[in-house]
Tab-separated table of all heavy atoms in Angstrom:
chain	number	residue	atom	x	y	z
K	470	ARG	N	33.460	44.262	-3.922
K	470	ARG	CA	32.130	43.792	-4.336
K	470	ARG	C	31.679	42.530	-3.553
K	470	ARG	O	30.540	42.374	-3.176
K	470	ARG	CB	32.222	43.375	-5.893
K	470	ARG	CG	30.824	43.260	-6.485
K	470	ARG	CD	30.035	44.571	-6.406
K	470	ARG	NE	28.675	44.505	-6.960
K	470	ARG	CZ	27.897	45.433	-6.966
K	470	ARG	NH1	28.146	46.681	-6.507
K	470	ARG	NH2	26.620	45.289	-7.501
K	471	LEU	N	32.497	41.658	-3.216
K	471	LEU	CA	32.313	40.566	-2.387
K	471	LEU	C	31.738	40.933	-0.992
K	471	LEU	O	30.852	40.360	-0.572
K	471	LEU	CB	33.587	39.651	-2.190
K	471	LEU	CG	34.098	38.937	-3.401
K	471	LEU	CD1	35.352	38.214	-3.165
K	471	LEU	CD2	33.041	37.928	-3.941
K	472	VAL	N	32.339	42.031	-0.479
K	472	VAL	CA	31.882	42.616	0.787
K	472	VAL	C	30.465	43.174	0.687
K	472	VAL	O	29.543	42.875	1.406
K	472	VAL	CB	32.769	43.635	1.344
K	472	VAL	CG1	32.232	44.288	2.495
K	472	VAL	CG2	34.146	42.960	1.669
K	473	ARG	N	30.278	43.900	-0.581
K	473	ARG	CA	28.913	44.531	-0.706
K	473	ARG	C	27.929	43.508	-0.950
K	473	ARG	O	26.779	43.709	-0.501
K	473	ARG	CB	29.017	45.424	-1.917
K	473	ARG	CG	27.849	46.168	-2.203
K	473	ARG	CD	27.977	47.153	-3.357
K	473	ARG	NE	26.776	48.007	-3.665
K	473	ARG	CZ	26.458	49.050	-3.012
K	473	ARG	NH1	27.284	49.511	-2.021
K	473	ARG	NH2	25.323	49.691	-3.281
K	474	LEU	N	28.225	42.402	-1.533
K	474	LEU	CA	27.173	41.331	-1.740
K	474	LEU	C	26.945	40.491	-0.575
K	474	LEU	O	26.235	39.468	-0.533
K	474	LEU	CB	27.531	40.526	-2.935
K	474	LEU	CG	27.533	41.147	-4.379
K	474	LEU	CD1	28.065	40.284	-5.393
K	474	LEU	CD2	26.174	41.728	-4.694
K	475	GLY	N	27.857	40.721	0.511
K	475	GLY	CA	27.755	39.817	1.729
K	475	GLY	C	28.319	38.481	1.614
K	475	GLY	O	28.120	37.503	2.392
K	476	LEU	N	29.307	38.342	0.615
K	476	LEU	CA	29.928	37.013	0.389
K	476	LEU	C	31.089	36.813	1.278
K	476	LEU	O	31.520	35.633	1.548
K	476	LEU	CB	30.246	36.762	-1.030
K	476	LEU	CG	29.125	36.947	-2.008
K	476	LEU	CD1	29.671	36.820	-3.517
K	476	LEU	CD2	28.159	35.711	-1.771
K	477	VAL	N	31.726	37.958	1.781
K	477	VAL	CA	32.732	37.848	2.716
K	477	VAL	C	32.543	38.961	3.773
K	477	VAL	O	31.836	39.977	3.563
K	477	VAL	CB	34.262	38.082	1.997
K	477	VAL	CG1	34.485	36.927	1.113
K	477	VAL	CG2	34.249	39.293	1.332
K	478	ALA	N	33.193	38.742	4.957
K	478	ALA	CA	33.000	39.796	5.858
K	478	ALA	C	33.887	41.030	5.690
K	478	ALA	O	34.833	40.937	4.847
K	478	ALA	CB	33.412	39.237	7.233
K	479	GLU	N	33.654	42.194	6.331
K	479	GLU	CA	34.401	43.298	6.082
K	479	GLU	C	35.863	43.188	6.325
K	479	GLU	O	36.686	43.591	5.490
K	479	GLU	CB	33.809	44.413	7.046
K	479	GLU	CG	34.494	45.808	6.735
K	479	GLU	CD	34.139	46.511	5.505
K	479	GLU	OE1	33.071	46.105	5.018
K	479	GLU	OE2	34.857	47.334	4.983
K	480	GLU	N	36.253	42.368	7.328
K	480	GLU	CA	37.645	42.175	7.564
K	480	GLU	C	38.236	41.403	6.588
K	480	GLU	O	39.501	41.298	6.483
K	480	GLU	CB	37.853	41.530	9.016
K	480	GLU	CG	37.225	40.198	9.156
K	480	GLU	CD	35.809	40.347	9.655
K	480	GLU	OE1	35.272	41.495	9.657
K	480	GLU	OE2	35.257	39.328	10.284
K	481	GLY	N	37.470	40.659	5.654
K	481	GLY	CA	38.087	39.909	4.574
K	481	GLY	C	38.468	40.709	3.417
K	481	GLY	O	38.900	40.108	2.456
K	482	ARG	N	38.248	41.928	3.326
K	482	ARG	CA	38.682	42.668	2.149
K	482	ARG	C	40.185	42.713	2.023
K	482	ARG	O	40.975	42.705	2.923
K	482	ARG	CB	38.253	44.203	2.477
K	482	ARG	CG	36.791	44.320	2.445
K	482	ARG	CD	36.395	45.882	2.392
K	482	ARG	NE	36.743	46.507	1.198
K	482	ARG	CZ	36.312	47.710	0.838
K	482	ARG	NH1	35.409	48.347	1.625
K	482	ARG	NH2	36.542	48.229	-0.373
K	483	GLY	N	40.555	42.449	0.683
K	483	GLY	CA	41.952	42.282	0.376
K	483	GLY	C	42.361	40.962	0.513
K	483	GLY	O	43.633	40.586	0.152
Side-chain angles (χ1 to χ4, degrees):
R470 194 63 181 177
L471 292 174
V472 171
R473 184 175 181 83
L474 295 174
L476 298 176
V477 296
E479 182 71 24
E480 60 269 19
R482 293 186 69 166

